[in-house]
Amino acid sequence: MELTTPGVATLRRDLDQATRDAETADVALAASGDGRAFERLYRSHVARIHSLAQRMTGEDHADDLTQDVFVRAWSKLSTFRGEAAFGTWLHRLAVNVILARRTTLGTERGRYDDSENVLDGVASRPHTAELSLDFEAAIERLPDGARQVFVLHDIEGYRHEEIADLLGIVPGTSKSQLHHARMALRRHLE
Amino acid sequence: MSDTWTNRLSEYLDGELPESERATLEAHLRACADCRATLEQLRRVVARAQALDDTPPTTDLWPAIARHVGVVSLDARRARRRLSFTVPQLAAAAVALTLLSAGSAWLLLRRPAGARPSQSTTTPSPILTNVGTYEANPRYAAAVASLERVLAQGRSRLDTATVRVIEKNLGIIDRAIRDAQSALAADPANSYLNLHLAQEMRRKLELLRQAAALAGART
Ligand SMILES: [Zn+2]
C-alpha cells in the first residue's frame, strides 16, 4: 500500500500544476468573456505589473498605466496561445504598453536628458538627504534611459539584446546605461 | 577614485567581458582597491534590485478596469438580463434549470411577472461572447482533467463526508452543464443559456480547484 500512495511531494507538484492549469483555464474563460475569471487574473498579477509601471515611469503614472495594461490584455486575450506562461505574456504586453507611453511621459516630465553629465550629477551628489533616499525612490529619480535599462535588466531579468530591441538602442548603449545606473544607485543602498 | 577599468566593472560582474579583458581586469583588481570596493558595491546594487518586493497599487484599480472592458458585476448583470429576456428564452432556460436547486439563474426565473421583455441593452456585455466554445476548449478540458487527477490521488486524505459533499455538488453541476448544453443545441444563439453554461463550467472548475487544494493540503 505504501508504495502506491503518492508522496506529499508528488501531490504538491500536481497541485502546483493544477494551479497553473486553473490559471490557464481562467485565461480561456476570460478570453470567452468571463469577467470574473479576468478579475482573478488581475488580482494575482496586479502587484507585479504595477511595480513594473511605477519603476519604469514613476508614481504619478503607475495606476493609469496598470489600468491600460489590463484593458489591453482583455482585448488581446484571444491572441494568447499558451506558449509562455500567462504571467510572461502579460509582462511583455506591459513592457510594450509602458514603453509606448514613454515619449509622451518623457516630454511631460521634462527630464529627457540622458547625457552623461546628468548621470554623473546623480552619482556624485553627496547630500545627506540623498543618502537616506529609499532605494525605490532612487530608481525613480534616475534619468529615463538609465532607469529603463536598470529596471529591465537588473529587476526584470531582460538581456541587453532584448532591451536594445525594445528601446531602439544598440546593446553597447544598454550596457553603459546599466553601468551608470548601478553606479548612481550605490549611494542609496542603505 | 576611478580609472579606465571602472567603467568595465558592470560587464565584468555580468560575465560579459571577453576572456582576454577579463584576465587583464582581474589582474588590475588585485592591485586596485578602489575597483575592488566599487565592484563590491555594484554587486550589492544588483542583489538589492533582485530582492525588491512587488507592491499592489494603494487603490483598487479593478472597478475602473471593469468599467473600461464592459464587465459588469453579477448583481448589475442580473438586473439587466431581467429586462432583456423574451418569453421563449425564459422557457428554454427553464428546461435547463429544472434540476438546479439554487443559483442566480434560478433566482432570476422567480422574478415577479412584471419583469417584461424589452429591448436589449445598448452595449452587449462581453460576458456573452463565444461561450459556447468552452466545451470544446482543450485548455478547459485539460484543467478539469488535471484537477480531477489531483483529487483522485488525494481522495483518501479527505473524510467521507467531505467527499460526499464534493461529489454531490459535482453531480449537480455536471447535470446543469449537460442540460444547458442540450438546451443550447436546440437554441444555439440563446445568450442566457450561454451565460448559464459558462457559469456552471466555471463553478465546476472552482469546486474542483477547492477540492484538489483540500486533498493536496491534508497530509
Ligand atoms: Zn582600478
Side-chain angles (χ1 to χ4, degrees):
Chain A
M1 267 314 165
E2 286 282 310
L3 290 174
T4 55
T5 310
V8 176
T10 311
L11 272 176
R12 285 255 170 262
R13 199 177 57 236
D14 285 355
L15 196 57
D16 285 349
Q17 181 60 44
T19 306
R20 274 197 299 278
D21 288 345
E23 175 162 284
T24 310
D26 270 345
V27 174
L29 290 168
S32 307
D34 185 329
R36 287 213 283 176
F38 190 58
E39 182 176 355
R40 284 193 292 273
L41 294 171
Y42 164 82
R43 300 267 170 228
S44 49
H45 293 279
V46 65
R48 179 149 190 242
I49 300 301
H50 189 266
S51 297
L52 172 70
Q54 176 154 343
R55 287 169 190 144
M56 291 282 278
T57 65
E59 209 168 355
D60 295 351
H61 303 280
D63 284 5
D64 192 36
L65 277 166
T66 303
Q67 267 185 44
D68 223 26
V69 168
F70 281 95
V71 169
R72 205 77 67 87
W74 169 263
S75 68
K76 295 191 80 169
L77 268 176
S78 59
T79 68
F80 174 70
R81 293 279 168 262
E83 300 96 350
F86 173 71
T88 309
W89 178 84
L90 184 67
H91 192 270
R92 291 268 159 185
L93 178 70
V95 168
N96 287 329
V97 169
I98 291 165
L99 290 179
R101 193 84 80 80
R102 88 198 140 119
T103 315
T104 333
L105 291 181
T107 317
E108 200 179 294
R109 301 166 83 199
R111 58 163 209 193
Y112 218 36
D113 188 353
D114 279 1
S115 69
E116 307 242 324
N117 287 342
V118 175
L119 286 159
D120 290 345
V122 175
S124 58
R125 234 175 299 160
H127 305 306
T128 25
E130 288 278 311
L131 293 175
S132 60
L133 248 192
D134 176 57
F135 194 73
E136 289 269 11
I139 294 172
E140 283 183 38
R141 293 187 55 155
L142 289 170
D144 288 343
R147 189 184 62 255
Q148 285 156 4
V149 172
F150 178 78
V151 170
L152 290 174
H153 190 281
D154 280 2
I155 301 179
E156 304 294 341
Y158 284 68
R159 293 142 47 90
H160 285 298
E161 289 71 21
E162 299 172 288
I163 295 169
D165 269 358
L166 287 166
L167 298 181
I169 55 180
V170 295
T173 306
S174 177
K175 284 181 190 177
S176 70
Q177 293 273 36
L178 177 65
H179 180 68
H180 284 298
R182 286 175 179 173
M183 290 293 276
L185 291 171
R186 288 180 300 159
R187 297 182 172 273
H188 307 287
L189 276 170
E190 237 50 74
Chain B
M1 176 93 191
S2 101
D3 52 50
T4 50
W5 285 108
T6 312
N7 283 337
R8 312 305 300 277
L9 289 173
S10 278
E11 283 173 273
Y12 173 71
L13 187 59
D14 296 336
E16 283 171 350
L17 275 189
E19 178 57 36
S20 61
E21 281 187 288
R22 195 170 64 89
T24 317
L25 174 55
E26 278 173 355
H28 174 77
L29 279 172
R30 282 191 286 274
C32 179
D34 277 349
C35 278
R36 281 203 304 275
T38 303
L39 181 64
E40 183 48 35
Q41 289 174 320
L42 294 176
R43 221 186 286 268
R44 285 175 60 212
V45 168
V46 175
R48 184 71 182 272
Q50 284 164 355
L52 286 175
D53 280 330
D54 290 338
T55 47
T58 45
T59 49
D60 188 6
L61 305 176
W62 174 250
I65 293 170
R67 258 198 318 278
H68 259 95
V69 303
V71 172
V72 289
S73 74
L74 192 60
D75 288 344
R77 215 186 295 152
R78 275 181 207 161
R80 263 204 215 169
R81 281 309 131 223
R82 176 160 57 103
L83 296 173
S84 60
F85 278 172
T86 63
V87 171
Q89 275 178 325
L90 285 175
V95 173
L97 295 170
T98 34
L99 293 170
L100 203 64
S101 60
S104 58
W106 183 74
L107 292 170
L108 192 122
L109 285 175
R110 288 169 48 97
R111 297 278 182 198
R116 355 174 355 189
S118 72
Q119 80 273 33
S120 42
T121 47
T122 43
T123 43
S125 164
I127 281 294
L128 303 175
T129 52
N130 296 332
V131 167
T133 60
Y134 281 9
E135 54 192 290
N137 189 313
R139 284 194 218 136
Y140 179 87
V144 166
S146 162
L147 287 166
E148 280 172 346
R149 195 163 44 85
V150 174
L151 186 56
Q153 283 174 356
R155 193 192 169 87
S156 58
R157 291 155 202 268
L158 298 172
D159 57 73
T160 43
T162 307
V163 171
R164 213 164 38 234
V165 170
I166 291 171
E167 286 186 337
K168 184 178 166 219
N169 285 333
L170 276 175
I172 291 173
I173 295 174
D174 277 340
R175 215 153 50 216
I177 289 176
R178 274 198 309 275
D179 290 337
Q181 283 170 336
S182 50
L184 265 174
D187 186 8
N190 187 317
S191 59
Y192 171 76
L193 286 173
N194 273 302
L195 173 61
H196 174 58
L197 176 59
Q199 281 171 342
E200 291 309 320
M201 293 181 81
R202 195 183 56 223
R203 260 177 63 184
K204 176 170 182 173
L205 203 62
E206 274 168 4
L207 177 62
L208 275 172
R209 197 184 304 166
Q210 282 167 9
L214 214 55
R218 303 262 176 105
T219 53

